[in-house]
Amino acid sequence: RLRTFDEGAATYRSLFGMEPRFAEILAFQDIPDARDRPGVVLRHVDLSLRASDRRSASLSARLEVEPTVDGQRLLRFALLNQRDPRMRLWTSPENALHVRAVTDGEGRALPFSHRHNELMVEPPEPAAAGSRRMLRVDYDGEILTALDCERGDQYIELCSVPWFPQPDHEAPPFTYTLTVVTPKPYLPVASGTTTAFKETDQGFELESRSTTPARWIGVFAGRYRLHEATEGGVRYRVHSYAMGTRATQEGLVRLGA
C-alpha cells in the first residue's frame, strides 16, 4: 500500500451478503526507509470547476508535483469515487466521479487507475526524487451534494471529501488558484483570496488564489444572501440563508472585527 508504505497478503470474506468485508491477515511487513516520506509532494495546483446544475460538475486540475523516491513508477493521490449517502463501497454508481483523462506537461496521455478513492498515475519514465512534473487530470460527475451527501438542503459543499487529486495529509502544503462557475441561484464561496467575481445572466464566476501554502481547498455554493461591510480597514463578507437575518449578519461582522 503506497499510502502507509507496507505490504502484506490477506483473504477477505463477506458475511450474509453484507457490504463490509472482513480481512484475515496472512503476512504483513513494513517497506524499509519509506514510511516517513509521502510518495509525492504537491507544490501547486490550478483548479477549475464548472457546475451545470446543483448535481453535476466538470473539473480539471493542473498539478505541479514532486516525487520523493528515486525511480518512482507510480504517483498516488487521494480522489473520491462517489458520494453515495447510503453506501460507502467505492464501486457505487450513485453520485459517482469519473476521471476522463490524465496527461503530462507535454499533453501525452498517461495510464491511470481510479479505484478505492485513490488515483494512481504511471509517468512515462521512472521519476527522480525532487524532480518537478506537470500533470493534468480531467474529471466530472454528480458530486455536488450537501455535507451529508444528500440534496435536501439549499447548498452544496466540496470540503469534507478529497474532491481534487491530493497527496497524503502528511505531505507539505501547497499553493493554488481556483476558478468556480455555478448556475443561479447558487452563489459560490471558496478558500483563498478572491481575485475576481462577476455575475452573468446564467450564474456566477469566482476566482481565488493562495500564495500562502495550504493543505485543503473548500468550495461552497448556495442560495446565500451576501452582506459586505468594512471594519477596521478589513472587508468582511457574510453569506447566509434560512435563518440568516440582517442582524445576524451584522453581528458576525462585529464578531470578526
Side-chain angles (χ1 to χ4, degrees):
R1 293 182 299 181
L2 291 181
R3 180 189 302 178
T4 53
F5 292 101
D6 53 48
E7 58 185 0
T11 61
Y12 291 88
R13 60 193 178 95
S14 178
L15 297 179
F16 311 111
M18 297 172 58
E19 179 184 326
R21 298 182 302 164
F22 299 88
E24 295 182 358
I25 305 299
L26 304 177
F28 180 86
Q29 66 180 12
D30 290 336
I31 299 175
D33 303 321
R35 180 173 290 275
D36 295 331
R37 292 181 292 180
V40 62
V41 172
L42 177 60
R43 295 302 185 187
H44 181 82
V45 59
D46 297 315
L47 286 168
S48 173
L49 183 155
R50 292 183 174 272
S52 56
D53 50 36
R54 67 169 300 188
R55 301 180 63 91
S56 304
S58 298
L59 306 99
S60 69
R62 295 180 65 254
L63 311 163
E64 183 179 348
V65 301
E66 184 179 301
T68 62
V69 180
D70 278 324
Q72 194 165 333
R73 292 305 307 269
L74 285 176
L75 306 178
R76 176 200 168 273
F77 305 90
L79 182 65
L80 68 91
N81 278 100
Q82 52 88 355
R83 299 194 78 179
D84 188 334
R86 290 165 293 278
M87 179 181 287
R88 295 185 179 180
L89 196 63
W90 68 272
T91 54
S92 172
E94 182 76 14
N95 298 336
L97 180 69
H98 306 284
V99 176
R100 302 302 182 182
V102 180
T103 53
D104 64 9
E106 286 72 48
R108 295 175 294 182
L110 301 180
F112 68 90
S113 172
H114 183 214
R115 298 159 57 89
H116 301 286
N117 299 308
E118 295 180 343
L119 176 65
M120 308 289 286
V121 179
E122 182 180 353
E125 62 275 336
S131 62
R132 294 291 178 97
R133 295 195 171 231
M134 299 299 298
L135 300 175
R136 173 169 174 156
V137 182
D138 293 296
Y139 54 113
D140 57 59
E142 295 186 342
I143 60 170
L144 303 181
T145 73
L147 187 62
D148 58 2
C149 297
E150 298 279 7
R151 295 189 175 89
D153 214 330
Q154 298 300 312
Y155 79 98
I156 57 178
E157 70 88 24
L158 289 172
C159 186
S160 61
V161 293
W163 62 276
F164 65 95
Q166 54 196 266
D168 293 321
H169 294 298
E170 294 82 3
F174 49 86
T175 58
Y176 64 87
T177 67
L178 173 65
T179 300
V180 179
V181 178
T182 57
K184 289 182 176 179
Y186 293 97
L187 184 68
V189 188
S191 302
T193 300
T194 299
T195 57
F197 178 83
K198 68 177 180 179
E199 180 178 353
T200 67
D201 292 339
Q202 291 76 34
F204 306 97
E205 297 182 14
L206 169 72
E207 296 180 14
S208 70
R209 64 181 300 182
S210 178
T211 55
T212 301
R215 294 185 183 275
W216 198 254
I217 305 172
V219 175
F220 289 80
R223 295 176 179 268
Y224 298 131
R225 292 189 295 273
L226 175 61
H227 173 66
E228 296 184 272
T230 301
E231 293 285 346
V234 178
R235 189 68 173 172
Y236 293 89
R237 295 184 180 92
V238 179
H239 297 77
S240 61
Y241 77 117
M243 301 298 290
T245 65
R246 182 60 177 266
T248 301
Q249 293 174 323
E250 294 174 348
L252 288 171
V253 171
R254 290 193 297 271
L255 182 63

